[in-house]
Amino acid sequence: MEVTTQYGPGFIVTDLTGRFDAHTVGRYLTDVAEKVDGSHATVVVDLSGVEFMDSSALAALITTLKRAMEHGGDVILAGVSDAARIILELTRLDEVFTRAESREAALAQLKGATV
Amino acid sequence: MAGFPTADRMLAVCDMLADSGGHLDPEAVAAAAAEQLARLTRCDLAVTALRGPDGLVVGSYPRAAPDWLPGAMVNLYQDGLTQPFDLFGPAVDSRVAGFDGGSHHGVVAAIGPIEGGFSALDDWLVMVAARRMQAQLELVELHRWRLADADVVRDAVLAGEVQQALMAEPHHRIGSVDLSASFRPARHLGGDLYDVFSVDRQAVALVADVSGKGAPAALLSTAVHAAGRHAFSVAGPNPARIIAQISAEIETLLEHTGRIVTVAVAATDPNTGTIRIASAGHSPVIVRQAGHVRLIKPLSPPLGLCSPDEDEIELSVHRGDLLLLGSDGLIDQRRHDGTAYGVDHLLSAVRELPVAPAHELLRSLFGNLDAFAAGAVQDDDQTGLLISVQEDRR
């Protein structure tokens, strides 16, 4: 899975492409989840390129959400692909995460967002 | 002419190049390299010295090298001093070559005097001896990795047998229902589990799935297993309370390991003809009532985020109805072209099942899944627990 990350004032935007699963979750945790702190408390995760997600990916997103909340931030799932949507619904996590139509819509939700 | 290779020397060089070695340890590699170098260059003493995970390893031919020499050779090479006379002084004619790569580094030396003096061919032979040692040491390392790997696999197979033994008995007849369960890990050990309890002709079935795979998930699943048994002893045949109890017990463990667990619990009651179900993020839970199938979606998210609501649903069931508690490995199984089995496929398979004992139905379901996979790799743990209602309520 490809993980590309950009930083903005108070937030991180990350694009994930490929399979987000037990084999690829390590990279996500290092590059994204562990980067959440007081200066970057909110994470926009662009899932439009994700073709598969498993429970390891969900655990990683939940870890990110918990860290974000500790710093007063949030996690926004943007461009949720069909594969991602199905697993989020099957686990009832669709009602837990804030969602946005697209990365641009997510960034617009964040005040003064410019990347 | 001094240095011109004779025919027999060339033949000996060809033999050396054709020899693939096949040594199993660094000592054998060092010894063989020293002998080959001595025979080919006809030097007075050939010494090979290398340093690696086993410490300093030395070879020499046709006699033992002075004690101080091999260590000094490797040290000087490491310090970047590779001119022969740094070691032996200008009075001794010698050729030296070193290598540095992988888990070993070392030096070979052909020490004179040598009849006719060292030639260009001898320079080349010393260099080749060093390269060949390096290559052979890589093979030795690879061989060791393969042996260690075999140990790890053997351990995992044994651990997998223990995990199967930890699971409850797979087949039960309790009250008005027949239950059958099967746990198929992807790699010997897995993070799925099932359990079955009973009290007063009421059956309680539990299926859980720890995120991740292999040994770490399996270890965590044993904690969930124990929490489930304790929860039943405390909460009785009450699915939502069982899940809440499990959540409280493993909350800290999930926090520390960064994992989540999905759980589904079903409790049957032959007196009321009902099955109550609670699920924390767990799918697939599929019910067939009077021939119609549907997916029961979880009422709460997985454990590991927050405490679950104590919500349940209650279904009226009759003879011939079915409830399947599965793990997502059933849905995610792909075949060679990458297509996944999917929820719809599983719903159809459950709908088509006949009225029969639970173990026959479960075997049929897995058969359907395996036929779809057609030999493709099983990438996730697959668990199924099937409840088949055998009687209407009295």
Side-chain angles (χ1 to χ4, degrees):
Chain A
M1 176 177 74
E2 278 191 35
V3 180
T4 50
T5 311
Q6 292 171 290
Y7 292 83
F11 62 86
I12 300 170
V13 181
T14 183
D15 275 294
L16 307 180
T17 310
R19 288 177 64 88
F20 190 7
D21 62 16
H23 304 295
T24 58
V25 73
R27 175 99 192 278
Y28 168 85
L29 288 169
T30 317
D31 289 4
V32 183
E34 286 167 24
K35 296 289 195 275
V36 174
D37 59 21
S39 315
H40 303 95
T42 292
V43 183
V44 173
V45 186
D46 189 337
L47 295 174
S48 53
V50 168
E51 61 199 44
F52 174 79
M53 272 173 60
D54 71 359
S55 57
S56 297
L58 297 179
L61 289 174
I62 286 173
T63 297
T64 314
L65 181 61
K66 283 155 87 168
R67 274 184 83 124
M69 286 168 62
E70 277 168 25
H71 292 102
D74 195 7
V75 169
I76 304 174
L77 303 182
V80 175
S81 59
D82 281 347
R85 180 182 51 79
I86 289 170
I87 191 174
L88 289 168
E89 286 175 6
L90 287 176
T91 54
R92 203 71 187 216
L93 285 170
D94 53 337
E95 297 179 359
V96 165
F97 287 100
T98 311
R99 300 211 289 198
E101 278 279 316
S102 65
R103 174 198 165 105
E104 291 67 33
L107 292 172
Q109 281 182 35
L110 300 173
K111 287 182 187 172
T114 45
V115 173
Chain B
M1 187 190 318
F4 189 83
T6 57
D8 63 326
R9 274 191 93 194
M10 288 311 300
L11 284 172
V13 169
C14 291
D15 279 342
M16 176 195 77
L17 292 173
D19 172 23
S20 60
H23 307 293
L24 293 181
D25 55 61
E27 287 77 14
V29 170
E35 181 174 343
Q36 218 161 43
L37 187 61
R39 288 187 187 284
L40 287 169
T41 60
R42 299 172 194 185
C43 64
D44 182 53
L45 174 66
V47 180
T48 58
L50 57 105
R51 192 167 278 144
D54 301 316
L56 185 67
V57 175
V58 179
S60 65
Y61 191 89
R63 61 187 179 280
D67 284 340
W68 60 268
L69 181 56
M73 280 165 60
V74 176
N75 290 341
L76 278 170
Y77 180 74
Q78 273 193 290
D79 292 341
L81 301 171
T82 55
Q83 292 307 310
F85 68 74
D86 296 324
L87 267 175
F88 307 115
V92 178
D93 199 6
S94 61
R95 294 292 184 271
V96 172
F99 65 91
D100 187 359
S103 47
H104 294 87
H105 58 271
V107 185
V108 309
I111 304 165
I114 191 172
E115 191 181 321
F118 282 99
S119 67
L121 176 61
D122 298 309
D123 291 343
W124 180 81
L125 285 169
V126 168
M127 188 268 294
V128 166
R131 296 283 167 270
R132 281 171 54 79
M133 263 186 63
Q134 183 176 17
Q136 285 170 357
L137 288 166
E138 296 299 330
L139 285 174
V140 166
E141 201 62 19
L142 198 61
H143 180 68
R144 285 181 168 175
W145 275 109
R146 286 177 66 187
L147 288 177
D149 213 36
D151 272 347
V152 168
V153 170
R154 191 162 41 244
D155 228 22
V157 168
L158 292 174
E161 290 170 9
V162 171
Q163 188 173 33
Q164 287 287 354
L166 284 171
M167 299 285 173
E169 270 296 307
H171 310 300
H172 301 262
R173 173 63 192 252
I174 301 169
S176 58
V177 303
D178 207 25
L179 284 103
S180 187
S182 179
F183 162 61
R184 308 197 317 182
R187 307 268 182 278
H188 310 295
L189 288 170
D192 284 1
L193 75 111
Y194 71 82
D195 212 346
V196 180
F197 317 106
S198 67
V199 62
D200 298 336
R201 299 176 65 237
Q202 295 179 70
V204 176
L206 177 152
V207 171
D209 186 352
V210 175
S211 62
K213 292 186 215 222
L219 281 172
L220 202 47
S221 80
T222 61
V224 177
H225 210 152
R229 298 205 150 179
H230 183 232
F232 173 69
S233 73
V234 164
N238 299 297
R241 285 181 54 202
I242 288 174
I243 290 181
Q245 179 69 32
I246 292 173
S247 176
E249 278 196 35
I250 65 172
E251 189 177 5
T252 309
L253 187 55
L254 294 182
E255 179 72 41
H256 285 163
T257 56
R259 298 199 180 232
I260 59 173
V261 181
T262 65
V263 191
V265 179
T268 68
D269 190 340
N271 301 314
T272 57
T274 59
I275 300 182
R276 286 177 297 140
I277 303 168
S279 167
H282 195 87
S283 288
V285 175
I286 291 174
V287 67
R288 186 179 80 184
Q289 290 168 294
H292 298 289
V293 290
R294 62 189 170 106
L295 185 74
I296 308 280
K297 287 195 178 171
L299 295 173
S300 302
L303 305 183
L305 180 60
C306 51
S307 306
D309 297 327
E310 290 198 23
D311 284 334
E312 290 177 358
I313 66 162
E314 188 174 276
L315 306 170
S316 282
V317 290
H318 302 275
R319 183 178 175 274
D321 289 349
L322 299 172
L323 179 69
L324 173 70
L325 306 180
S327 68
D328 57 6
L330 299 177
I331 306 174
D332 295 339
Q333 176 64 49
R334 288 182 287 173
R335 58 185 183 199
H336 291 291
D337 69 1
T339 322
Y341 192 66
V343 174
D344 290 340
H345 214 137
L346 188 58
L347 285 165
S348 298
V350 174
R351 188 191 316 118
E352 301 308 312
L353 289 173
V355 176
H359 70 272
E360 284 181 29
L361 301 180
L362 193 64
R363 191 166 52 234
S364 177
L365 272 180
F366 275 111
N368 192 300
L369 178 64
D370 291 340
F372 171 86
V377 168
Q378 180 187 333
D379 203 38
D380 196 4
D381 307 320
Q382 293 170 350
T383 296
L385 189 154
L386 190 72
I387 298 175
S388 172
V389 182
Q390 299 295 305
E391 298 165 15
D392 289 341
R393 76 169 193 183
R394 301 285 172 80

